[in-house]
Amino acid sequence: MQHHHASEALTKNQALVMGALSDADGPLSAYTILDRLRDDGLRAPLQVYRALDKLVEFGLVHRLESLNAFVACRHPGCDGHQFTAFMICDECGSVIEIADTALARRLTGLAQDASFILEKSTVELRGLCAACSAA
Amino acid sequence: MQHHHASEALTKNQALVMGALSDADGPLSAYTILDRLRDDGLRAPLQVYRALDKLVEFGLVHRLESLNAFVACRHPGCDGHQFTAFMICDECGSVIEIADTALARRLTGLAQDASFILEKSTVELRGLCAACSAA
DNA sequence: GAGATTGTGTAATGGTATAACGTGTGCGAT
DNA sequence: ATCGCACACGTTATACCATTACACAATCTC
């Protein structure tokens, strides 16, 4: 790493993993990412997981808990990154990323009511996307 | 099974798993449940997973996606079971189960706006519970 | 330039979940 | 009554997800 605050400057492995996720049009598991990057020199799961940890920390990637998979953030740099919600189509696997202020307020409100210090929220809606439910 | 519609009548394995979860005061992983039920005759993960699938289907148990673990529902029989939210303390592991109408409305509203057919929602808030944040 | 920090590479392991068999039992329809 | 179906059960093997532990290199700090 050359810089202190230039978190945009990714290391080699981070850039590779970010590239794989950006190229994909849906979520990828860590092992799928690994498979796609074997030709680029990645050999072990840990190399992928370490890169993913950092990318999530940077706000460039989201982890989808209900899929054990990862997606590139659709609007990186956005605030409210920690309150992002997802709609995941069980039919086609597409993922829609949502940043909703009212939802975020309700979640923080619920936490406050319970004197709960909220660090991170996971909101994942499963069902059928518009395209698949029309078909 | 003796009855058709008596979904309250659990099979042997289902009752064992339900008992283990009820006895615990927090979430348990499937493998932890298995360990606790070895003396009762359970030998393989699949026996536990099959029982868990049914218990979740019956609305007696919730799966916590961000923990890969399961908890007994605190208010079984409640409606809105599919919109339950959870606050999970990263310090002590305690889980608070929340049924909030406003939250449920917001989630269904978001889904409708996107023409998304909502089947199930996962809402898990991570942070520090009141007791742990006070300490 | 010694020490702290961070990224990297590799091997081994641990934890989570399902596939693919086959068996047994209760129950309704013929 | 018995055949067929649906469903729970049992076992083995395997697939999939994630981390621990150790060693090395580059960089930043003082």
Side-chain angles (χ1 to χ4, degrees):
Chain A
M1 283 288 275
Q2 240 87 329
H3 326 73
H4 275 318
H5 49 290
S7 57
E8 304 85 7
L10 302 178
T11 68
K12 171 169 152 275
N13 287 0
Q14 289 163 13
L16 284 171
V17 170
M18 191 68 216
L21 282 173
S22 299
D23 288 349
D25 58 346
L28 298 179
S29 78
Y31 277 72
T32 302
I33 294 171
L34 176 58
D35 285 342
R36 298 195 181 183
L37 293 176
R38 292 226 183 250
D39 294 343
D40 297 289
L42 290 203
R43 325 261 12 230
L46 197 49
Q47 297 174 291
V48 175
Y49 279 108
R50 285 200 275 231
L52 285 170
D53 283 348
K54 285 298 181 185
L55 293 171
V56 169
E57 185 184 324
F58 296 159
L60 297 174
V61 165
H62 294 284
R63 178 191 176 100
L64 299 175
E65 300 285 356
S66 67
L67 292 179
N68 292 326
F70 302 83
V71 280
C73 182
R74 298 293 196 264
H75 21 74
C78 64
D79 54 348
H81 179 88
Q82 96 179 256
F83 292 112
T84 308
F86 299 91
M87 294 185 199
I88 302 167
C89 179
D90 290 325
E91 183 77 15
C92 69
S94 70
V95 173
I96 302 167
E97 189 176 331
I98 300 155
D100 183 68
T101 316
L103 174 60
R105 261 199 299 266
R106 188 75 201 126
L107 293 179
T108 53
L110 284 169
Q112 275 175 9
D113 291 351
S115 300
F116 186 89
I117 309 293
L118 182 51
E119 299 288 351
K120 187 190 181 296
S121 72
T122 297
V123 179
E124 298 177 15
L125 309 183
R126 307 291 293 265
L128 295 181
C129 72
C132 288
S133 63
Chain B
M1 284 286 275
Q2 240 85 330
H3 326 73
H4 275 316
H5 49 289
S7 59
E8 305 83 9
L10 301 178
T11 68
K12 173 170 151 272
N13 287 359
Q14 288 163 13
L16 285 171
V17 170
M18 192 66 215
L21 284 173
S22 300
D23 289 349
D25 57 346
L28 298 179
S29 77
Y31 277 73
T32 301
I33 295 170
L34 176 57
D35 285 342
R36 298 195 181 182
L37 294 177
R38 292 227 182 249
D39 294 343
D40 297 288
L42 290 204
R43 326 258 14 229
L46 201 48
Q47 296 174 291
V48 175
Y49 280 108
R50 286 201 272 232
L52 285 170
D53 282 348
K54 285 298 180 184
L55 293 172
V56 168
E57 185 184 324
F58 297 159
L60 298 174
V61 165
H62 294 285
R63 177 190 177 105
L64 299 175
E65 299 285 355
S66 67
L67 292 179
N68 291 326
F70 302 82
V71 281
C73 183
R74 297 293 195 265
H75 20 75
C78 64
D79 54 348
H81 179 87
Q82 98 179 255
F83 292 112
T84 308
F86 300 91
M87 293 185 198
I88 303 168
C89 179
D90 290 326
E91 184 77 17
C92 69
S94 71
V95 172
I96 302 167
E97 189 177 332
I98 300 155
D100 183 68
T101 316
L103 175 59
R105 261 199 299 266
R106 188 76 199 124
L107 294 179
T108 53
L110 285 169
Q112 276 175 8
D113 292 351
S115 299
F116 186 89
I117 308 294
L118 183 51
E119 299 289 350
K120 188 193 183 292
S121 73
T122 297
V123 179
E124 299 178 14
L125 308 182
R126 307 291 293 264
L128 296 180
C129 71
C132 288
S133 63

